[in-house]
């Protein structure tokens, strides 16, 4: 049981917009910034979003993040086949004094 | 370019310990925390702990307290994660990751090692 809650799966067709939610609490998302990571099959995770809505250089602007209260979302617009991957949200948890991840969302491009 | 290169796969018996290394290059090793994250086959990411390579200060997830130790050797820019009292449930890929921050604040795990498969089997 993960501290941050994500839907286990999401899907969309090429060109569509998809959103992935991440629900937490006041001790994690509610009081700290959120990261999003993309993990392609067989590879290490890659930082996709930092500080809730910032993209590292090289990450397409099709990817965007947002946060409101104790929830966060990752939106992917103009869906492409190469976006098929697992996506994880993460945040620091003040109560646990540690970093927590969501359970991950497997994105399928139909 | 920044790189984190981990040691090779390990096979251990239940009750044994494993020590995984993570050699950093391309940046000043003591400037950014190193974290360890593991992933069992087909499962999600699980954070294990962090270390400040400059001070040696560490912090561990409650789940691993007493079983995990993160250390470093600054002369060779290498971090280590040792997990003891291994059980079959510890079979997973173990990653080291650099936690980056700048003057504007925190980023996250911007560079990851390639992962080390640890298999625990009798």
């Amino acid at each position: 049981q993960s501290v941050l809650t994500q839907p286990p799966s999401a899907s969309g067709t090429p060109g569509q917009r998809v959103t992935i939610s991440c629900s937490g609490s006041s001790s994690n998302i509610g009081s700290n910034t959120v990261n999003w990571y993309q993990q392609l099959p067989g590879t290490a995770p890659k930082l996709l979003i930092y500080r809730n809505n910032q993209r590292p250089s090289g990450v397409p602007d099709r990817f965007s993040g947002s946060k409101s209260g104790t929830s966060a979302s990752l939106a992917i617009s103009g869906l492409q086949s190469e976006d098929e991957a697992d996506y994880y949200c993460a945040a620091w948890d003040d109560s646990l004094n540690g970093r927590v991840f969501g359970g991950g969302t497997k994105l399928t491009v139909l | 370019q920044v790189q984190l290169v981990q040691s090779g796969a390990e096979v251990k018996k239940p009750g044994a310990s494993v020590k995984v290394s993570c050699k950093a290059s391309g940046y000043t090793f003591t400037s950014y925390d190193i974290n360890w994250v593991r992933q069992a086959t087909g499962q999600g990411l699980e954070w294990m702990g962090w270390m400040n390579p400059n001070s040696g200060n560490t912090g561990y997830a409650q789940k691993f307290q007493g079983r995990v130790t993160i250390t470093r050797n600054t002369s060779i820019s290498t971090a280590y994660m040792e997990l003891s009292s291994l059980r079959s449930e510890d079979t997973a890929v173990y990653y080291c990751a650099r936690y980056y921050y700048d003057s504007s604040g925190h980023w996250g795990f911007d560079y990851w090692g390639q992962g080390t498969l640890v298999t625990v089997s009798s």
Side-chain angles (χ1 to χ4, degrees), chain A residues 28-44:
Chain A
N28 43 65
I29 293 179
S31 50
N32 296 292
T33 59
V34 177
N35 294 133
W36 287 92
Y37 298 91
Q38 176 193 57
Q39 187 176 32
L40 298 171
T43 68

Side-chain angles (χ1 to χ4, degrees), chain B residues 19 22 43 50 78 122:
Chain B
K19 191 171 186 177
C22 171
Q43 302 300 308
W50 65 270
T78 300
S122 55

Side-chain angles (χ1 to χ4, degrees), chain B residues 9-84:
Chain B
E10 303 261 14
V11 179
K12 296 291 183 181
K13 293 195 181 302
S17 296
V18 68
K19 191 171 186 177
V20 180
S21 68
C22 171
K23 183 171 177 58
S25 61
Y27 74 101
T28 303
F29 176 63
T30 52
S31 293
Y32 303 101
D33 293 352
I34 291 289
N35 285 243
W36 288 87
V37 176
R38 77 177 187 180
Q39 184 173 38
T41 302
Q43 302 300 308
L45 302 173
E46 184 173 33
W47 179 79
M48 299 181 69
W50 65 270
M51 179 193 64
N52 180 312
N54 185 45
S55 64
N57 289 345
T58 56
Y60 304 120
Q62 292 174 1
K63 175 177 179 177
F64 300 103
Q65 287 275 2
R67 274 211 308 145
V68 68
T69 306
I70 301 174
T71 57
R72 90 290 192 209
N73 183 333
T74 56
S75 67
I76 56 172
S77 300
T78 300
Y80 303 91
M81 185 284 299
E82 183 169 20
L83 187 62
S84 62

Side-chain angles (χ1 to χ4, degrees), chain A residues 18-91:
Chain A
V18 169
T19 61
I20 297 172
S21 62
C22 176
S23 177
S25 67
S26 58
S27 63
N28 43 65
I29 293 179
S31 50
N32 296 292
T33 59
V34 177
N35 294 133
W36 287 92
Y37 298 91
Q38 176 193 57
Q39 187 176 32
L40 298 171
T43 68
K46 169 189 171 183
L47 180 63
L48 208 58
I49 297 288
Y50 67 96
R51 288 208 291 268
N52 306 324
N53 55 18
Q54 302 298 301
R55 287 183 309 276
S57 61
V59 173
D61 59 6
R62 302 186 295 105
F63 293 89
S64 62
S66 64
K67 178 182 122 171
S68 178
T70 60
S71 294
S73 291
L74 173 71
I76 309 172
S77 60
L79 201 60
Q80 298 180 5
S81 58
E82 56 260 41
D83 298 333
E84 193 160 282
D86 293 325
Y87 293 85
Y88 295 90
C89 58

